Amino acid sequence: MTNDLYLRNAWYVAALAGEVETDLLRRLILGEPVLLFRDEQSGAPSALHDLCPHRFAPLSRGKRVDGGIQCGYHGLVFAPSGKCVLNPHGNGRILPTAAVRAFPVIERHGMIWIWMGEHDLADPSLIPDFSYLDAADQRTRGAGYLPTRANYQLLTDNILDASHADYLHALLDSDGGTRHEAPRVQELGDGSVEVSWTWGPASPMKFLSHMYAPGAEVHTRLAVRWHAPSAMHLRISSAAEGEELDQGLQAEAMHIMTPETARQTHYFYGGVRSFDVANDAYTAAFLEGARRAFADEDKPMIEAVQANMGDETDIFAMRPLGLIGDAGGVRVRERLRRLIAAERHP
């Protein structure tokens, strides 16, 4: 594994907020073992390198105590800052080297974000804006975590190329809109990249069909905005003839990929919608449909792609055939390559 695989000075999602409660949570992030936990008093999240400096035992095999985390092997206690605050052996002297790395973490939008790069560069304002999740009617909100045996950029490619939806996802059938139309790809001023398709009049996507009269035709826009290194906001807008797309039905989703290793990814997903918000039965079906799309359709396909690639992590090293739907993924990969190169060789 090489450092060139990852952008280090960036915010990644380490966990959904609800995953880090009373227990200790160990995750590999960019190949490094990380311990996630909450302060027993304040509930604030913290992240430490999951490696005791004494015998390199995982701190996640220890326990929370007043003041921090106690190693389960020899009892050293480490504060959320990473500093050792208790040595129960001998005269109790604490050596200056008795410390573990602490990672900056921020809890925002129902997720715990972690900065894996240089500590002093961790700027909270650089966390992508997913406030639409907080602003939406919370009755419609759902989220999930999906460990996936594939390189994170394969999963990013998948979200940036909606043309596969007509074949892999029955509920997202675009009536050919994402297959026949070339995506519009824009690099935006904040460094993000937006990939979008607009089509119609045509049949509404299947998960929206109950909102229209039988046989109705609508205009649809599907847009994905990518934020480096791998956080995406997907928005589907649907409107009847004569109605502005931004005033029509809206379904929004997050797709965030955090590399575990070169061929393993932590996939976080979730979404909200603007319509039929009081329909609990539809909400349950909507969220279950989203879970199936990612867990039972995307995940097995992308894992099969990675299996066919073997140890290779860069699909373009294998010289794949190109289709028009690849344009967004190609642009994003090039943008990320430039960012990683600039970080390695400023």
Side-chain angles (χ1 to χ4, degrees):
M1 182 169 53
T2 137
N3 284 337
D4 290 342
L5 287 173
Y6 312 122
L7 188 66
R8 310 287 304 189
N9 291 318
W11 291 101
Y12 291 89
V13 170
L16 299 174
E19 292 185 280
V20 184
E21 295 297 345
T22 57
D23 293 335
L24 305 181
L25 177 65
R26 172 186 167 95
R27 284 235 156 107
L28 280 182
I29 299 176
L30 312 193
E32 297 186 43
V34 173
L35 167 63
L36 298 160
F37 63 99
R38 291 187 184 273
D39 181 89
E40 286 192 304
Q41 302 301 320
S42 69
S46 295
L48 296 177
H49 193 198
D50 193 20
L51 183 149
C52 178
H54 171 231
R55 283 290 181 265
F56 311 126
L59 292 174
S60 55
R61 287 181 174 265
K63 62 181 179 180
R64 293 195 307 173
V65 295
D66 185 25
I69 299 296
Q70 184 171 61
C71 179
Y73 197 7
H74 290 88
L76 297 176
V77 175
F78 297 90
S81 67
K83 181 181 177 180
C84 181
V85 293
L86 175 66
N87 173 13
H89 301 272
N91 64 6
R93 180 181 174 221
I94 298 174
L95 297 173
T97 54
V100 296
R101 182 182 179 189
F103 299 92
V105 290
I106 299 285
E107 185 169 359
R108 189 174 293 177
H109 311 316
M111 295 168 277
I112 295 176
W113 300 79
I114 188 168
W115 183 272
M116 300 295 292
E118 296 180 47
H119 194 286
D120 292 345
L121 297 180
D123 181 355
S125 71
L126 298 177
I127 294 176
D129 183 7
F130 284 86
S131 59
Y132 65 89
L133 294 170
D134 307 319
D137 190 306
Q138 296 302 290
R139 289 174 294 180
T140 72
R141 185 169 179 171
Y145 164 64
L146 198 63
T148 305
R149 296 187 301 274
N151 180 267
Y152 74 108
Q153 291 193 73
L154 290 177
L155 288 160
T156 300
D157 291 342
N158 182 66
I159 300 302
L160 292 167
D161 174 17
S163 69
H164 75 277
D166 290 349
Y167 303 97
L168 200 56
H169 304 311
L171 288 176
L172 291 178
D173 188 334
S174 73
D175 203 22
T178 59
R179 286 184 284 124
H180 299 150
E181 301 293 332
R184 183 187 185 196
V185 182
Q186 301 172 275
E187 290 198 32
L188 305 178
D190 62 356
S192 64
V193 176
E194 183 174 271
V195 185
S196 62
W197 291 259
T198 304
W199 68 93
S203 299
M205 287 182 151
K206 288 185 180 178
F207 78 97
L208 296 171
S209 59
H210 74 292
M211 298 296 296
Y212 296 99
E217 293 193 325
V218 301
H219 293 270
T220 304
R221 180 174 64 222
L222 189 157
V224 182
R225 180 171 294 189
W226 169 89
H227 302 268
S230 48
M232 287 161 288
H233 170 199
L234 184 151
R235 180 171 182 157
I236 296 173
S237 305
S238 177
E241 191 73 41
E243 184 182 22
E244 294 293 329
L245 278 166
D246 287 342
Q247 303 303 313
L249 307 182
Q250 309 294 326
E252 299 181 84
M254 69 173 195
H255 297 271
I256 302 177
M257 320 304 176
T258 297
E260 180 177 3
T261 65
R263 291 182 294 280
Q264 293 272 138
T265 299
H266 303 292
Y267 182 178
F268 302 95
Y269 66 88
V272 292
R273 67 181 194 278
S274 69
F275 56 92
D276 211 4
V277 297
N279 187 338
D280 292 341
Y282 179 68
T283 295
F286 181 89
L287 295 176
E288 174 58 17
R291 187 205 65 78
R292 286 200 308 269
F294 310 137
D296 300 338
E297 296 166 358
D298 280 331
K299 174 182 163 81
M301 183 63 76
I302 302 303
E303 289 183 336
V305 169
Q306 181 66 74
N308 268 353
M309 290 172 60
D311 291 337
E312 183 58 69
T313 57
D314 180 4
I315 196 169
F316 286 101
M318 301 178 67
R319 305 177 70 85
L321 177 70
L323 298 174
I324 60 171
D326 299 330
V330 170
R331 183 78 64 88
V332 159
R333 279 178 176 261
E334 176 56 25
R335 170 78 176 143
L336 184 57
R337 186 196 66 77
R338 294 197 306 266
L339 290 171
I340 292 173
E343 185 174 273
R344 299 295 176 269
H345 309 287

